[in-house]
Amino acid sequence: MSVDTVSLTGWGRTAPTTALRFRPRSHEEAAATVLGCGPRGSIARGLGRTHGDAAQNAGGSVLDMTALDRVRAIDAAAGLVVCDAGTTLHRLREVMLPLGWFPPVVPGGRYVTVGGAIGSDGHGDNHRAAGSFSRHVTEFTLLTADGEARTVRPGTPLFDATAGGLGLTGVILSATLRFRPVTTALMAVDTERAAGLDDLLARMARGHRPYEYARIDLTARGRATGRGVLVRADHVPVRALPERTRRTALALGPARRPAAPPLLPRLFGRLAATALNEIGYRSAPRSRAGELQPLGTFFRALDARPHSNRVSPTGGRIHYAFLVGHGQEETLRRIVGRIARSRCPSFRAVLRRCGEGGPGWLSFPAPGWHLSLDLPAGLPGLARFLDALDEEVAAAGGRVSLTEDARLRPDALAAMYPRLPDFRALRAELDPNGAFRSDLSRRLSL
C-alpha cells in the first residue's frame, strides 16, 4: 500500500486541504487504514468527480480506492455484476455492453467509481424513469469503523444511510449491481429549441422518453429568459436496424476525449458566457427527431472535456445544484430570473425532471425540477447571492445537492433533509469515535 501527503480539492477546485493519502490494494489494507486513522478520521475517495469537499479530510487520511477495481463476477443471464468499489462505470460498460447490458443510471459520466455512485446516490438524465443509482444495487460490502466488513442490503437502515451518505457510514468495498438489457449500442435522439422557460417547462411536461435534459441559457433576459435546448433519447432496439448491421449492433467504438479549448480560460467572463450560450442555442436544430447516435457520443457530453474543471480562473468554480418539487414552478422561474438579471457568467446550466426519490436519507433526487449550474468561485458577492437562493429553495420545500456542495450553511441543512436526525443518530451509534470524517461533515456538522 502506498502512502503520500497531498493537497486535494473537489472537481470544482475550491478550498484545497492537505491529507495523508493511502492507496489500499486489498480489503485488509483498507481495514488496517481505518483502524489506524487517528483523531482526524478518514474518508474514502474515488476519482474526485464530486464538485465540493465531500472527499477531502483536512489533517486526516483519505483512502484512494481506485486500485480496488476488480470485476469479480458476472451473471450474463440476469445482468448482475459483482465488482470492487473502485471500478469505474466506463470499465463496467466495456465489460457488460457486449453481453447486452448497460448501466441503468449514468451519474455524471463514465469516469465515476461504483463506490462514489453509491455514496452520492448518483442520478442521470433518466432519473424520472430509472431512479437513482442505489435502486439498482442488490447489496454491497461496507467496512465500518470497527474494522468489520458487513453485507448491506436494501430495506435496512444502514443501506438507507449509506446510499447518499457521502462515505460517512463506512468504506464501500464492493457491490452487486443490476444492469438493464439493451440490444444495440445506439441511441435515438430528439432535439428541439424552446424560446423561454415557460415554453421549455411545457415541452418537458409533455415528454415521455426515458432520457431527458435541457441545456438552459442563463445569460438570456427578457422574453428569452430560461430559453434552452431540450434533448430526449431512448435506446434503439435491434429490430430498428437494417439486417446487415444487426450482427455488430452491440459494438462500442472508442470514445474521443478532446481537450478543453485553449482560449476558454482567458475568455471566462460575462461576455464570453453570453457569446457561448448564444452560439450553443442558435447552433442547435429547431426540431430534429430520431437522430441515431452511438452510446459513446450521446453520453460523451459528460466526459467531452476531461479537464473541464481547469477552464475557470484561479479560485475554481462553484457548482450549484438544487431541486424544487412539482407545483413549485414559480420558485424555479424566480430563481432563473434572478440569475439572469445578476448577469452571472454561467457557461453550463442543465435542467432535468426528477422522478421518485431513492431510499437514501441524504439522497438528493426527489420528484420535481433539478437545475444545476457552474459559476466562477471568485465572483464578487457570490456567497451572499447563493445564500439567498438557498433560502428560497428551502422555503419551497426543496434542497441543495450535498454531493456537489462546497459552501452550504449548516443552518439551512435541516430544512432541506428531514431525515438528517436519523442519519446523525445512526452515525453516532455506528461510529462513536468519528473514524469517518470529511471537510463536508465538519462544515455541516453531519
Side-chain angles (χ1 to χ4, degrees):
M1 177 169 57
S2 64
V3 184
D4 59 355
T5 301
V6 292
S7 177
L8 296 171
T9 70
W11 192 245
R13 302 180 73 211
T14 60
T17 57
T18 300
L20 198 62
R21 178 173 60 186
F22 293 82
R23 289 192 177 96
R25 296 188 175 277
S26 68
H27 294 179
E28 292 74 20
E29 287 185 351
T33 302
V34 167
L35 291 173
C37 64
R40 294 290 287 182
S42 185
I43 196 71
R45 182 182 176 96
L47 291 171
R49 290 301 176 106
T50 59
H51 285 79
D53 52 4
Q56 298 170 225
N57 187 23
S61 60
V62 169
L63 273 71
D64 183 331
M65 301 294 290
T66 54
L68 293 171
D69 60 353
R70 286 180 54 194
V71 177
R72 295 179 174 268
I74 295 172
D75 184 338
L80 292 172
V81 59
V82 182
C83 62
D84 287 341
T87 310
T88 65
L89 298 187
H90 173 65
R91 172 64 176 150
L92 291 179
R93 187 174 74 178
E94 287 184 325
V95 170
M96 297 297 287
L97 185 62
L99 303 176
W101 300 96
F102 189 73
V105 175
V106 182
R110 55 200 170 109
Y111 299 106
V112 173
T113 63
V114 167
I118 297 172
S120 61
D121 198 15
H123 62 284
D125 296 330
N126 63 338
H127 184 270
R128 190 169 51 88
S132 55
F133 196 86
S134 66
R135 286 193 173 273
H136 308 278
V137 177
T138 63
E139 68 177 35
F140 56 76
T141 302
L142 184 72
L143 175 65
T144 49
D146 55 6
E148 181 183 348
R150 307 187 185 198
T151 299
V152 184
R153 295 186 175 90
T156 62
L158 188 52
F159 187 99
D160 296 347
T162 304
L166 307 165
L168 296 173
T169 60
V171 179
I172 297 170
L173 297 174
S174 63
T176 302
L177 312 176
R178 187 180 300 279
F179 277 50
R180 64 160 294 169
V182 294
T183 54
T184 74
L186 293 170
M187 303 290 290
V189 183
D190 301 340
T191 307
E192 56 188 287
R193 290 194 327 216
L197 184 59
D198 287 342
D199 182 23
L200 181 59
L201 295 180
R203 291 171 186 261
M204 294 181 78
R206 295 193 298 266
H208 299 287
R209 304 293 288 276
Y211 295 90
E212 178 187 68
Y213 67 91
R215 300 189 301 269
I216 294 189
D217 178 2
L218 290 179
T219 65
R221 293 183 294 166
R223 288 186 175 183
T225 298
R227 70 180 180 180
V229 178
L230 176 59
V231 179
R232 296 190 181 103
D234 198 355
H235 294 272
V236 176
V238 71
R239 65 179 180 273
L241 300 183
E243 187 73 34
R244 66 182 183 279
T245 64
R246 293 182 183 181
R247 185 172 298 179
T248 58
L250 288 170
L252 181 66
R256 293 177 299 167
R257 298 175 58 194
L263 292 178
L264 194 53
R266 284 176 264 170
L267 295 175
F268 201 89
R270 290 190 180 97
L271 291 177
T274 300
L276 290 177
N277 276 289
E278 180 73 21
I279 292 170
Y281 180 77
R282 296 294 177 189
S283 62
R286 290 184 181 274
S287 181
R288 181 175 61 198
E291 179 191 10
L292 295 184
Q293 293 184 8
L295 283 168
T297 299
F298 178 76
F299 290 102
R300 188 172 60 88
L302 300 167
D303 305 299
R305 290 190 278 270
H307 305 297
S308 62
N309 62 328
R310 301 177 187 173
V311 303
S312 58
T314 301
R317 64 182 182 182
I318 297 294
H319 185 81
Y320 189 68
F322 72 91
L323 179 142
V324 292
H326 295 302
Q328 292 295 331
E329 287 77 10
E330 190 54 41
T331 300
L332 179 63
R333 291 185 186 96
R334 283 198 305 271
I335 291 176
V336 169
R338 290 181 67 171
I339 295 170
R341 289 191 299 274
S342 73
R343 295 175 176 264
C344 289
S346 176
F347 283 86
R348 184 177 184 273
V350 178
L351 180 67
R352 297 178 177 89
R353 277 193 305 168
C354 287
E356 184 180 356
W361 292 343
L362 298 186
S363 293
F364 170 66
W369 301 96
H370 165 213
L371 179 63
S372 61
L373 57 142
D374 292 324
L375 296 168
L379 280 178
L382 180 61
R384 291 191 303 274
F385 180 72
L386 294 181
D387 286 347
L389 295 189
D390 290 343
E391 293 175 3
E392 192 153 5
V393 168
R399 60 186 59 168
V400 168
S401 170
L402 299 183
T403 301
E404 312 296 347
D405 176 56
R407 31 70 47 200
L408 184 69
R409 299 194 318 267
D411 57 344
L413 185 64
M416 295 179 177
Y417 290 91
R419 299 299 300 271
L420 181 61
D422 297 322
F423 180 81
R424 285 173 169 158
L426 186 141
R427 274 204 74 206
E429 177 184 347
L430 195 65
D431 183 12
N433 298 319
F436 300 111
R437 301 183 187 183
S438 66
D439 291 355
L440 180 142
S441 73
R442 281 187 283 267
R443 175 168 58 82
L444 294 179
S445 300
L446 291 175

